[in-house]
Amino acid sequence: MNWEYVIPNVEVGDRPRATELPMNNEAFAGFYERSARPLWAYLARVSSDPALADDLMQESYVRFLCASRADDGEVASRRYLFRIATNLLRDHWRRPASASIEDLPEELFATSDRSDHIAQIRLGRALARMRPRDRQLLWLAHAENYSHREIAEITGLGTASIRLLLFRARRKIARFLQEQASVAREKQ
Amino acid sequence: MTFTPCVREKEVAELLHSGHWPAASSPELRAHVNACRNCADFLLVTQTLQHARGTSVRSARLNSPGLLWWRAQLRRRNDALEQVAKPIAGAHVFALIVTLLVAGAFVVEQSRRGVQWISWLTELSRSRAFHLDPLWSSASTKIDWNAMFLMPGLATLMVLSGLLIYLATDRS
């Protein structure tokens, strides 16, 4: 028996069918166009692995579409998407045999401008010295401009903890960035 | 490390996020940022990460949204199929357990009675309807009738059970 013919008959009524996605193709294409690049930037910078960012971004969108949730607007949907991506990153780091981010080439984020390229390398090195959770918090707060409450929603941490963790992470990465800048000045 | 946030951090943050730093900032605020470690760190980190965001956003490699939408639809359908298949699989397991219990009870009961029904078969062969005496070898009485009938029966039952499980679990 082919169950594809059975399921539509089982699920009758006003409730949307389990096989239906909450967003139609056109609406999703628009949402994807607006949210994919920032999401990829977040995943790529926090993981320091653009290939991994590609995979996790795809998975994030598939999970986002499969999730049964009410349509509560673009901002909330975007936040939810970042939450899925954050959880996927966390799952990835929990798995053994992941590549060390120190070994990954910075050229992956290379730009044509030399000074920009150097700045990207410095940031990459500084981020590599940070803990994964700190990288997430820093990116969400400073690159995505999320509030502490929103970061708490995305990461699952408490708002009060985020304030302190972010303060420490910011101080730490600032020190790393300054160290690298002073080393570069000494070399010149 | 002591956690002492600066009261002017919010002011700096607003100017940075609106993109008006340092143009719209007062000389007094700029002097404060130079002197305050928290605000200086905030400025350095925010500017660096926002610049990195701009670079990364430009270099993002995007897939077709249609492909992702199709993948999501496929996964959702598979999840729905699994939900439907769960009680069916449960029913299969239940049927298998019942079959095995009945078979077990049958075997135990027959072994206790000494397979009495075989004697009926023997009598049948001696009846007028069947003149098969010559066909029955003299050695027939020496054969372990229990084993002779039970083993093929059990083997058939096991083969059928295996086939049932295979058919129940085969999704292709």
Side-chain angles (χ1 to χ4, degrees):
Chain A
M1 185 189 291
N2 191 347
W3 293 105
E4 288 160 32
Y5 296 106
V6 175
I7 290 168
N9 296 332
V10 171
E11 295 164 346
V12 289
D14 297 332
R15 198 165 53 91
R17 291 212 309 253
T19 48
E20 263 179 22
L21 296 176
M23 204 180 259
N24 67 39
N25 201 350
E26 288 78 28
F28 174 68
F31 176 69
Y32 180 81
E33 198 62 44
R34 291 186 294 274
S35 59
R37 287 179 185 277
L39 183 71
W40 188 87
Y42 168 62
L43 288 166
R45 285 292 174 175
V46 172
S47 69
S48 297
D49 185 350
L52 177 69
D54 288 343
D55 293 345
L56 295 187
M57 187 173 79
Q58 283 192 38
E59 183 60 24
S60 300
Y61 276 105
V62 171
R63 287 193 187 189
F64 170 81
L65 281 170
C66 288
S68 302
R69 56 189 288 277
D71 183 18
D72 45 4
E74 172 116 5
V75 176
S77 295
R78 195 184 267 234
R79 212 161 45 223
Y80 184 64
L81 191 66
F82 270 81
R83 190 169 146 193
I84 295 171
T86 301
N87 289 336
L88 286 173
L89 268 174
R90 202 175 295 159
D91 290 347
H92 172 76
W93 286 321
R94 276 181 190 155
R95 268 181 254 129
S98 59
S100 167
I101 62 163
E102 284 84 351
D103 301 336
L104 292 162
E106 291 298 332
E107 290 71 30
L108 290 164
F109 295 106
T111 59
S112 53
D113 184 5
R114 184 166 161 72
S115 61
D116 193 24
H117 177 61
I118 291 167
Q120 295 308 306
I121 289 175
R122 279 183 197 160
L123 175 65
R125 284 182 186 154
L127 282 173
R129 292 170 71 182
M130 304 293 290
R131 287 186 302 175
R133 189 182 63 186
D134 290 344
R135 291 201 292 265
Q136 286 179 320
L137 294 177
L138 285 168
W139 191 270
L140 292 170
H142 294 278
E144 290 298 328
N145 297 337
Y146 278 126
S147 67
H148 291 172
R149 189 184 55 78
E150 287 171 319
I151 296 171
E153 202 179 302
I154 290 168
T155 58
L157 296 166
T159 313
S161 321
I162 283 166
R163 202 180 299 276
L164 184 62
L165 289 168
L166 200 53
F167 175 80
R168 285 178 180 161
R170 189 166 58 225
R171 186 148 283 192
K172 203 171 166 184
I173 199 169
R175 199 179 70 235
F176 292 155
L177 288 168
Q178 283 158 355
E179 275 173 16
Q180 288 189 27
S182 61
V183 167
R185 274 196 299 272
E186 280 169 18
K187 279 183 183 173
Q188 286 171 354
Chain B
M1 192 185 291
T2 51
F3 175 48
T4 48
C6 177
V7 285
R8 303 203 73 176
E9 194 180 285
K10 202 173 175 183
E11 216 178 320
V12 178
E14 277 171 9
L15 283 169
L16 273 169
H17 296 158
S18 63
H20 295 309
W21 175 270
S25 63
S26 62
E28 186 261 325
L29 184 63
R30 284 200 294 273
H32 167 79
V33 169
N34 284 334
C36 173
R37 190 182 169 189
N38 284 347
C39 289
D41 284 354
F42 188 90
L43 183 70
L44 174 68
V45 174
T46 305
Q47 281 184 326
T48 309
L49 289 177
Q50 286 196 341
H51 184 71
R53 183 184 186 270
T55 309
S56 302
V57 161
R58 282 194 299 276
S59 61
R61 294 165 291 188
L62 304 187
N63 292 90
S64 154
L67 182 73
L68 291 172
W69 198 80
W70 176 81
R71 268 184 63 189
Q73 208 172 23
L74 197 69
R75 188 178 292 182
R76 189 126 171 158
R77 216 186 77 190
N78 287 341
D79 289 347
L81 288 174
E82 273 184 18
Q83 288 291 320
V84 170
K86 263 183 193 171
I88 296 168
H92 281 139
V93 171
F94 179 73
L96 181 70
I97 290 167
V98 168
T99 307
L100 290 174
L101 283 174
V102 168
F106 176 74
V107 168
V108 169
E109 200 237 345
Q110 287 303 313
S111 62
R112 276 186 189 162
R113 289 189 182 182
V115 199
Q116 288 175 352
W117 52 273
I118 291 172
S119 60
W120 172 81
L121 256 183
T122 319
E123 282 171 18
L124 188 72
S125 66
R126 286 174 189 162
S127 71
R128 287 181 183 177
F130 297 93
H131 297 285
L132 301 171
D133 287 348
L135 291 174
W136 293 97
S137 70
S138 57
S140 62
T141 50
K142 295 174 188 170
I143 295 170
D144 187 354
W145 283 97
N146 284 357
M148 188 177 164
F149 281 91
L150 276 176
M151 289 306 164
L154 281 175
T156 310
L157 191 70
M158 284 169 75
V159 168
L160 286 175
S161 300
L163 189 69
L164 188 77
I165 291 167
Y166 172 75
L167 289 172
T169 54
D170 182 34
R171 290 183 184 188
S172 62

